[in-house]
Amino acid sequence: MLSIVLSVIYLIWRIGFTIPWHTNWFVLIFALLLAGSEFSSNFTAFILIFFRILAKKNHYQLVVPQLNPADPLPAVDLIIVTHNEDVALLRKTVNAATFIDYPDKQKLNIVIADDQNRPEVHTLAHEYDVQYIGMTDNHHAKSGNINHALAQLKAPLFAIFDADMIPFSGFLTDTVPLFTQNFRDRENKGQSFKKLGFVQTPQSFYNADIFQFNLFSEKIIPNEQDFFSRDINVLNGSNETALFTGSNALFLREAVDRVGGFPTNTLTEDFQLGAEINIAGYTSLATSNPQSSGITPIDLKGVIKQRTRWARGVIRSCRNLHIFLNPKISFKNKLILINSYLYWWSFARRMIYIVAPILYALFKIQVVNANFWVLMICWAPGYFLLHYVLKDSSGPIRNERWGEIQETFFAPYLFIPVILETLGIRAKKFKVTDKNTSFSFRDKLYILPYFALWLITLVAIIKFNYGKFGSEILIGSVITFWLLMHFINLSFCLFLSMGRPVYRKTERFNRQVNGLVRVRDTWQPLTTSDMSEDSLSFNLNTPDNVTFQLGQRLHLRLTRPGQSTITLIGTMCQISNEDHDAVYSVQLNAPNGTTRNQYLQLIYNGFNNTLPQQQDTWITTFDELYINVTIRLEKMKRRISRLIRS
């Protein structure tokens, strides 16, 4: 509360006493934009703190009950939505859906909704004995595809999965009990008890995202989307107004029918549908344990196109919903929707924050008219205390410094689309994010805005501080502070845009599975350490007197309690020692049929624990910067050495 009070005092002083009203129109407009950006940033921080206080006060913790055998088991339609995704990618999702746990499998109907009517997808559906619903001439993108499928389905609950979002076997047991409990509560407490509209499980990914991969941080920071999915949206759910994020969610069919199906007048039908369900009087919850995992793009073009679509879609949806004036939206839900809207303006704010100190350092354009000591008294206490509160009250997924780096990365490419969409200038068409990584010469050009801003900021730091001594350095320390902060953030953006070579064709997962390997005429026990679609590594449980040779053909059997044995054939490709234990790597022959399906399930049924779910707090931003500089310099040194030798 003290941080909020001090911040409000600063904002009152900032708006009332520091705006240069009598300057030229350009400086005045920029000064007002800067003050508005600060007000908006603080407001979103206040909303977050408010909801964290409410959750703490109410001791909120969502507990998913066990399925009660006395409760009627509802039928579920599980819809896998596909547009033009590769069939090999779609196969993994369909295969995983057939392994989902449900007490009565007759009540689980798996559906592939294909808006391209592709024969190969129809064949895939027949292979897995699941329902196929194809369509042609779809004019409403993903929403049109889902609405077309729903028109032919009747189960009281239905789940939505994107083609690349692979469900875990526990998806239904982590979501359906919340609905059966809600049905029971309505019977016991009366019809005034609100109906549950949908349950959103976290967006989870089995490959490193662009921040983890390009910054060599696969072991240090979680996926960038984890902060929203496993923290902010769970907080939204504590107010019974979680947001729908497009996939791996379970819906009450009645709620979706009540609002007229999936909306077709926006690029983010998920965000708008979730809000419409809440406005119609239904609640929504978000769980914190991942129950699916998908693939996230790691090339700049793919990531930026994806976020541009999300930004435009949310802005348009907020216009469609009239979030600021709609009397049907509850107070808490309005705050959540306004916060979602303002999030996409954070990138325009970030550009203003970057440019403001540069204007003063290079051109002596003063957009804040304040005495240094008054500024320090009014600004510093609230600023640093508010940042401490946000850090202290947030979970271990992401700190605010990483948030600023991520904002800076998206800022040059998102602030113009957000402005255009706000002015009603809309994108022409829906574009599905391509998950195939591409690194062409044109992709390298995405570095130009970051390099230009980085270079200008560097010149500003040098020019502003050159020749200053003593009190001059102290008086200018606020400008230098902001320039250095932005310089560090832009340095990370340069490393991100430089990219990193991708050598692996398939992702590797930590999977400890017991099994046997045939050695001559005997079977020796083993435990796998990790596996991918085309290889696995294992340790022998009894390594004495057992030797393998590179190129040796091997037969392996993997078993899990309650599951059938998987027989695999492969070739020994690497032998290494880790902690004095031999680790054997096997290149697998591609399995087929039932063996392939069981092996895919073994790999993809569960979070990829090679990636972190919490940030390593021992590694600071400066440590990360040092890691990137040293690794890239070492690579450059090796490249130069090879050129010299050749």
Side-chain angles (χ1 to χ4, degrees):
M1 296 307 297
L2 179 61
S3 72
I4 292 175
V5 169
L6 290 174
S7 298
V8 169
I9 291 172
Y10 164 72
L11 290 173
I12 293 171
W13 171 79
R14 177 76 173 82
I15 295 171
F17 299 95
T18 68
I19 306 295
W21 296 105
H22 303 294
T23 186
N24 65 68
W25 64 270
F26 169 78
V27 176
L28 179 59
I29 289 174
F30 196 90
L32 291 172
L33 288 173
L34 179 59
S37 297
E38 292 183 68
F39 181 86
S40 175
S41 295
N42 279 271
F43 181 69
T44 55
F46 297 164
I47 292 175
L48 184 58
I49 292 171
F50 171 68
F51 282 131
R52 291 202 189 280
I53 289 173
L54 277 184
K56 185 80 171 176
K57 180 181 177 182
N58 298 329
H59 305 286
Y60 177 80
Q61 184 176 4
L62 180 63
V63 177
V64 180
Q66 296 290 323
L67 273 171
N68 190 336
D71 290 332
L73 193 67
V76 179
D77 290 317
L78 192 147
I79 306 170
I80 300 168
V81 187
T82 180
H83 174 59
N84 61 357
E85 293 86 359
D86 187 73
V87 173
L89 182 66
L90 180 60
R91 175 186 293 279
K92 301 172 192 176
T93 304
V94 176
N95 178 69
T98 64
F99 282 92
I100 285 180
D101 297 329
Y102 206 49
D104 186 353
K105 281 295 186 77
Q106 297 298 317
K107 290 191 173 183
L108 173 59
N109 179 37
I110 300 167
V111 182
I112 301 178
D114 177 22
D115 71 353
Q116 297 283 295
N117 240 347
R118 291 177 288 169
E120 61 271 28
V121 177
H122 198 172
T123 301
L124 182 72
H126 179 73
E127 178 184 340
Y128 283 92
D129 194 25
V130 301
Q131 185 176 355
Y132 176 83
I133 299 178
M135 68 178 300
T136 54
D137 201 28
N138 180 19
H139 296 291
H140 296 297
K142 183 178 177 181
S143 289
N145 191 7
I146 296 172
N147 288 335
H148 177 259
L150 286 175
Q152 303 173 56
L153 301 171
K154 297 181 179 179
L157 301 178
F158 73 89
I160 291 293
F161 278 89
D162 286 341
D164 63 325
M165 191 61 68
I166 303 171
F168 301 164
S169 59
F171 171 76
L172 290 180
T173 54
D174 201 45
T175 52
V176 170
L178 293 168
F179 281 95
T180 55
Q181 178 177 272
N182 182 256
F183 298 155
R184 188 167 59 253
D185 287 341
R186 280 178 56 79
E187 287 180 4
N188 297 335
K189 300 178 182 180
Q191 295 303 304
S192 60
F193 192 84
K194 283 188 175 182
K195 291 183 179 180
L196 177 58
F198 68 91
V199 175
Q200 177 68 63
T201 65
Q203 297 280 39
S204 172
F205 302 92
Y206 57 79
N207 67 316
D209 70 10
I210 192 169
F211 296 95
Q212 294 170 304
F213 186 76
N214 285 6
L215 296 178
F216 304 94
S217 301
E218 297 100 319
K219 303 292 185 183
I220 299 169
I221 56 173
N223 187 286
E224 176 250 345
Q225 295 184 51
D226 278 6
F227 179 64
F228 175 79
S229 287
R230 296 195 292 114
D231 187 352
I232 301 299
N233 209 28
V234 174
L235 202 60
N236 294 339
S238 70
N239 299 292
E240 299 184 329
T241 49
L243 299 177
F244 172 39
T245 55
S247 182
N248 41 286
L250 186 66
F251 286 87
L252 181 68
R253 174 65 186 267
E254 171 200 316
V256 177
D257 290 343
R258 171 88 175 273
V259 299
F262 279 64
T264 58
N265 59 348
T266 178
L267 296 174
T268 48
E269 73 295 322
D270 46 5
F271 173 82
Q272 185 166 321
L273 175 67
E276 288 178 351
I277 289 173
N278 291 143
I279 294 169
Y282 296 86
T283 66
S284 56
L285 301 172
T287 61
S288 58
N289 293 325
Q291 285 296 338
S292 63
S293 65
I295 185 169
T296 185
I298 59 170
D299 60 308
L300 264 73
K301 181 172 70 175
V303 172
I304 290 169
K305 281 186 175 180
Q306 180 191 66
R307 299 311 166 89
T308 301
R309 175 168 60 84
W310 292 356
R312 282 183 171 273
V314 170
I315 297 295
R316 188 188 304 182
S317 292
C318 288
R319 288 167 62 96
N320 295 341
L321 296 165
H322 308 291
I323 62 170
F324 294 99
L325 301 174
N326 191 339
K328 296 180 180 179
I329 304 177
S330 68
F331 174 70
K332 291 179 184 177
N333 196 13
K334 190 183 290 286
L335 285 181
I336 289 170
L337 296 177
I338 290 173
N339 200 31
S340 302
Y341 176 84
L342 292 177
Y343 167 77
W344 294 105
W345 276 97
S346 65
F347 307 108
R349 298 198 302 262
R350 184 57 51 185
M351 290 300 296
I352 292 169
Y353 292 153
I354 292 171
V355 172
I358 292 174
L359 289 177
Y360 185 78
L362 292 182
F363 309 108
K364 297 299 179 183
I365 296 175
Q366 189 170 353
V367 294
V368 178
N369 187 13
N371 173 273
F372 170 77
W373 296 109
V374 176
L375 176 66
M376 294 305 294
I377 292 170
C378 293
W379 165 73
Y383 174 81
F384 288 105
L385 184 57
L386 185 64
H387 280 250
Y388 173 78
V389 168
L390 290 171
K391 177 184 176 182
D392 186 59
S393 62
S394 298
I397 297 175
R398 190 188 78 183
N399 62 32
E400 202 171 359
R401 283 293 296 125
W402 272 110
E404 291 176 1
I405 291 168
Q406 290 158 1
E407 276 185 16
T408 305
F409 174 71
F410 289 119
Y413 292 100
L414 288 192
F415 82 98
I416 291 177
V418 167
I419 293 171
L420 292 176
E421 195 68 42
T422 302
L423 295 174
I425 304 172
R426 299 181 172 181
K428 297 294 184 183
K429 102 190 236 195
F430 175 93
K431 296 179 181 178
V432 176
T433 305
D434 187 1
K435 303 300 172 64
N436 294 317
T437 303
S438 64
F439 294 107
S440 65
F441 174 75
R442 291 180 64 185
D443 296 327
K444 299 291 185 183
L445 298 179
Y446 279 91
I447 197 175
L448 293 179
Y450 306 120
F451 182 71
L453 288 170
W454 181 87
L455 193 60
I456 292 169
T457 305
L458 178 62
V459 172
I461 292 170
I462 296 171
K463 183 177 185 298
F464 183 69
N465 288 280
Y466 182 76
K468 285 187 170 65
F469 299 96
S471 61
E472 289 181 303
I473 293 177
L474 178 64
I475 297 299
S477 60
V478 175
I479 297 295
T480 303
F481 170 77
W482 285 116
L483 288 171
L484 287 171
M485 292 282 282
H486 298 317
F487 181 76
I488 292 169
N489 294 345
L490 289 165
S491 298
F492 277 105
C493 292
L494 284 179
F495 291 135
L496 280 162
S497 55
M498 287 176 187
R500 177 182 167 190
V502 180
Y503 297 111
R504 262 187 202 152
K505 294 182 179 179
T506 59
E507 294 299 319
R508 188 170 292 276
F509 295 71
N510 277 344
R511 294 289 183 259
Q512 282 70 50
V513 181
N514 293 327
L516 299 169
V517 58
R518 188 173 180 178
V519 181
R520 301 182 185 88
D521 295 326
T522 63
W523 291 90
Q524 297 291 333
L526 63 83
T527 301
T528 62
S529 53
D530 55 60
M531 54 181 64
S532 66
E533 289 184 37
D534 55 13
S535 64
L536 63 80
S537 298
F538 67 87
N539 303 92
L540 286 174
N541 298 347
T542 54
D544 297 339
N545 302 321
V546 177
T547 58
F548 294 105
Q549 295 183 0
L550 294 179
Q552 182 177 347
R553 185 178 175 84
L554 297 175
H555 289 74
L556 303 102
R557 293 177 181 170
L558 303 182
T559 57
R560 269 189 165 182
Q563 297 182 5
S564 57
T565 300
I566 304 174
T567 301
L568 301 168
I569 300 174
T571 304
M572 183 66 66
C573 62
Q574 184 178 339
I575 302 173
S576 57
N577 287 296
E578 295 181 6
D579 298 327
H580 307 292
D581 290 329
V583 178
Y584 304 97
S585 299
V586 179
Q587 188 73 30
L588 298 173
N589 297 351
N592 290 310
T594 303
T595 300
R596 174 197 57 207
N597 296 341
Q598 291 174 338
Y599 186 63
L600 287 175
Q601 179 65 5
L602 204 60
I603 296 173
Y604 290 104
N605 186 30
F607 182 78
N608 187 359
N609 290 317
T610 60
L611 301 173
Q613 288 187 290
Q614 296 182 1
Q615 183 173 339
D616 187 342
T617 54
W618 289 99
I619 305 295
T620 67
T621 307
F622 295 103
D623 293 327
E624 268 293 280
L625 202 58
Y626 175 77
I627 289 169
N628 276 269
V629 169
T630 53
I631 289 176
R632 293 180 187 278
L633 284 177
E634 185 63 31
K635 287 189 174 184
M636 189 182 300
K637 179 182 175 182
R638 288 199 298 267
R639 196 176 296 126
I640 293 172
S641 297
R642 284 196 297 268
L643 288 173
I644 292 173
R645 286 197 300 269
S646 61

